[in-house]
Amino acid sequence: MSSRRSPTSGHDGHSQEVVGSSAPHVPHEPDTELASDAQDGVAFETKLAALFSAALLAVTLAPIAQNWAEAPADGFPFSYYPMFSHPVGETYRVTHVVGLDADGREHVIPYGYLGTGGLNEVRVYVERAAHQHPKQFCEEVAARLSARPSDDLRHVRELVVRTGAYVMESFYAGAIQARSQREHVKCRVPR
Amino acid sequence: MPRAALRPLARLYAAWLSPMPAARLAALRVLIGGYALVRVSVLFVFVLRRAARGDALVHPVGVMRLWPGTPSVAALSAVILVAAACGIAFVAGFRYRLAAPLFAGALLTILSYFNSFGMIYHSDQLMVLHTTVLAFAPAADAFSMDARRRERAGQPTPGQPHARYGWPVRLLCVLTVSVYALSGVAKVSAHGFTWALGEALRAQIGKDALRKQLLGEGAGILGAWVWRNAWLATGIGVATLAMELGAPLVLLHARARRVWAAFAFGMHWGILLIMGITFRYQLCGVAFASFFQVERLLPLLTAGRRRLERSSTEQEDRAAKPPRARTGS
């Protein structure tokens, strides 16, 4: 089977190579009825395409209304894309878990011990768990830490589930300052 | 309705359906489908592990809003199998009319489950929308197993650019710019245009760094630099908001579209360096592929395939050749 190459000009004005292995079947005498049927088919297809495009675009843009809703709700796969738009004050509240060693020194417990998923997903989970079932959550984290402690967390004896209002400026100033802190629960790390 | 009022609509309709080569749509099928297939493959262990633990959905979204209760491991495994099989068929363009909608549906189901635990991953949304468009477009009319089968059967193959290959590419572009425009509107509705002045951006950078530190992850490597230089934050803020709110305007000009896409691509790399946030679909560039003449990549794939075929044919020839008879004593 021989290959056929013929340059054509696309809509964008650039030329492209059209490659095909066989010439399309072209009747010698155009059958007007068949041609009319084909045209009707193309017209229907293009109308359907326009309808599909308009419908998908409309449902994609519809969540814009959430910006003015009293309780905006994000969705999937249609969203109003609120990332980086939530107002942030001078302080920011974070619920997290701190490990204490025998000397009372504090260690950050990485999110991998706290739940499943990426950092932001775990952050949302920790927030909820700390308020709904803090003791159970703390013991689950302690069990995970006990089962596979990293080198720098081997000496952690106790865990504290804490929510703090932290001063935003303080992070890049070198040390994180808390304006207020609340301990939800403490639990021992089984050894 | 008077005719004059309908004229712009008719022009828009005609522009929407102006022709494009089948190869561009095919290249987008390979790129976007390939990315979606990799994403499903990466997620499947995570999804099944979570299902096996029996985690209850926190905030069901998408398909999960219609799903009765929490999906079982068996149900999710079946969806993942469908996604994997149909995903391969989607990329290869095999039985496309059946496989592509099935792949899009399975992808939507898996990602709906993944996003139903209280956190929505915004980079997945555009990928799902793009895959949906391709699933209902004739994206396997070229550079596909279906096209080769039709060639062998002597059926006509797409030669000239056609309207049916134009609208899906345009829809991909319009959906992409719409997502950024929505993001811009969300910023302005929360802060007004002062978002562009940089303080809101600095606050986002600070917030993100703070929580990452407290949850045991490093902040973006350029975060401190932008935080300390308010003028830089203002520059980034102005450029970001202009890019997002001006996104729909770039649809009017081909070069503007490409410049915009390059800028959006750069913005996501900036977000990674400043805040350490990975919008994977955008970072790898696939999200913006529809703005470019990606069909130019196809000869590279074809050349690679031919080289593979040639080497395997040579190996077969060598294996089939009888050993040379010894002459002499």
Side-chain angles (χ1 to χ4, degrees):
Chain A
M1 204 176 273
S2 64
S3 98
R4 181 177 63 90
R5 283 170 184 269
S6 66
T8 60
S9 179
H11 179 254
D12 288 359
H14 66 280
S15 83
Q16 71 239 343
E17 292 257 292
V18 179
V19 184
S21 305
S22 60
H25 169 72
V26 181
H28 295 292
E29 291 293 324
D31 185 326
T32 47
E33 201 174 314
L34 275 178
S36 160
D37 280 356
Q39 274 177 0
D40 285 352
V42 170
F44 178 72
E45 189 186 329
T46 52
K47 273 180 191 154
L48 206 62
L51 203 67
F52 173 74
S53 306
L56 189 57
L57 188 58
V59 289
T60 302
L61 291 175
I64 199 169
Q66 295 298 322
N67 288 301
W68 300 279
E70 260 184 47
D74 203 4
F76 184 91
F78 305 111
S79 166
Y80 72 111
Y81 298 92
M83 62 273 193
F84 311 132
S85 68
H86 294 299
V88 183
E90 282 180 11
T91 60
Y92 182 65
R93 286 167 64 85
V94 184
T95 301
H96 57 111
V97 180
V98 173
L100 301 174
D101 62 20
D103 301 327
R105 272 197 303 261
E106 293 195 353
H107 301 265
V108 170
I109 305 296
Y111 70 93
Y113 289 105
L114 313 184
T116 318
L119 181 137
N120 277 318
E121 190 176 348
V122 171
R123 177 179 59 79
V124 174
Y125 169 70
V126 170
E127 185 84 35
R128 205 174 50 248
H131 289 90
Q132 289 177 356
H133 46 86
K135 192 167 184 300
Q136 184 196 334
F137 168 64
C138 191
E139 284 166 358
E140 279 170 8
V141 177
R144 270 181 231 133
L145 187 62
S146 174
R148 46 178 181 94
S150 60
D151 285 344
D152 52 335
L153 297 175
R154 251 173 230 291
H155 306 294
V156 168
R157 300 268 180 93
E158 200 174 24
L159 297 181
V160 181
V161 181
R162 182 188 284 168
T163 296
Y166 296 97
V167 180
M168 297 278 290
E169 294 274 353
S170 65
F171 176 77
Y172 285 119
I176 296 174
Q177 289 171 9
R179 189 157 289 171
S180 66
Q181 281 183 329
R182 178 190 160 200
E183 281 185 10
H184 296 275
V185 70
K186 274 185 177 177
C187 64
R188 305 281 306 168
V189 178
R191 294 291 181 202
Chain B
M1 200 179 279
R3 271 193 165 190
L6 285 176
R7 215 168 286 151
L9 257 181
R11 265 212 297 269
L12 180 69
Y13 184 71
W16 192 253
L17 295 169
S18 57
M20 270 197 194
R24 186 171 305 176
L25 194 56
L28 289 168
R29 183 198 83 233
V30 173
L31 285 171
I32 294 170
Y35 178 88
L37 185 61
V38 170
R39 182 83 176 118
V40 168
S41 312
V42 169
L43 279 182
F44 94 96
V45 174
F46 178 83
V47 164
L48 289 185
R49 198 184 293 157
R50 174 162 257 171
R53 261 206 329 260
D55 291 359
L57 302 181
V58 175
H59 174 62
V61 291
V63 176
M64 290 302 128
R65 290 176 70 180
L66 311 170
W67 198 288
T70 301
S72 64
V73 178
L76 281 170
S77 302
V79 176
I80 286 170
L81 274 177
V82 169
C86 294
I88 293 167
F90 185 103
V91 176
F94 177 70
R95 306 278 179 209
Y96 192 76
R97 282 192 159 190
L98 176 71
L102 280 174
F103 177 55
L107 183 72
L108 176 63
T109 308
I110 293 165
L111 286 167
S112 295
Y113 176 79
F114 181 68
N115 282 278
S116 289
F117 292 91
M119 175 72 203
I120 289 176
Y121 290 85
H122 288 99
S123 74
D124 285 336
Q125 290 168 315
L126 191 57
M127 176 191 69
V128 168
L129 294 179
H130 283 177
T131 312
T132 305
V133 172
L134 291 173
F136 294 100
D141 279 9
F143 201 73
S144 67
M145 290 175 75
D146 286 352
R148 290 184 85 180
R149 200 179 55 236
R150 277 194 295 270
E151 268 178 34
R152 283 198 203 107
Q155 289 170 356
T157 51
Q160 301 293 330
H162 196 281
R164 70 166 70 94
Y165 310 121
W167 71 263
V169 180
R170 282 185 195 93
L171 185 53
L172 294 177
C173 294
V174 169
L175 288 172
T176 307
V177 299
S178 301
V179 159
Y180 286 88
L182 282 171
S183 182
V185 171
K187 289 182 182 79
V188 173
S189 86
H191 296 265
F193 285 94
T194 54
W195 192 94
L197 298 180
E199 274 313 299
L201 179 65
R202 286 181 74 233
Q204 294 293 334
I205 294 169
K207 176 181 94 171
D208 190 71
L210 189 69
R211 66 192 185 194
K212 278 186 172 140
Q213 173 76 20
L214 292 168
L215 292 166
E217 196 180 79
I221 54 172
L222 298 182
W225 185 49
V226 178
W227 169 270
R228 290 192 187 111
N229 293 287
W231 61 270
L232 192 57
T234 305
I236 295 171
V238 169
T240 302
L241 211 54
M243 186 278 271
E244 290 183 340
L245 293 176
L249 295 176
V250 304
L251 292 171
L252 302 172
H253 194 274
R255 185 171 290 174
R257 279 198 293 273
R258 287 194 280 275
V259 169
W260 179 87
F263 187 89
F265 175 69
M267 183 188 78
H268 283 284
W269 277 96
I271 293 171
L272 177 68
L273 294 173
I274 294 167
M275 299 170 87
I277 297 173
T278 48
F279 287 86
R280 289 184 183 88
Y281 186 52
Q282 286 80 357
L283 285 171
C284 69
V286 175
F288 309 107
S290 56
F291 292 89
F292 298 91
Q293 293 163 11
V294 281
E295 67 272 24
R296 290 177 177 185
L297 297 174
L298 290 178
L300 297 176
L301 288 175
T302 314
R305 196 185 65 200
R306 281 197 189 126
R307 212 173 296 137
L308 264 177
E309 282 174 358
R310 207 180 305 137
S311 81
S312 69
T313 314
E314 280 168 10
Q315 278 174 7
E316 279 169 18
D317 284 353
R318 246 175 282 153
K321 205 177 273 180
R324 195 180 290 171
R326 288 188 177 202
T327 54
S329 57

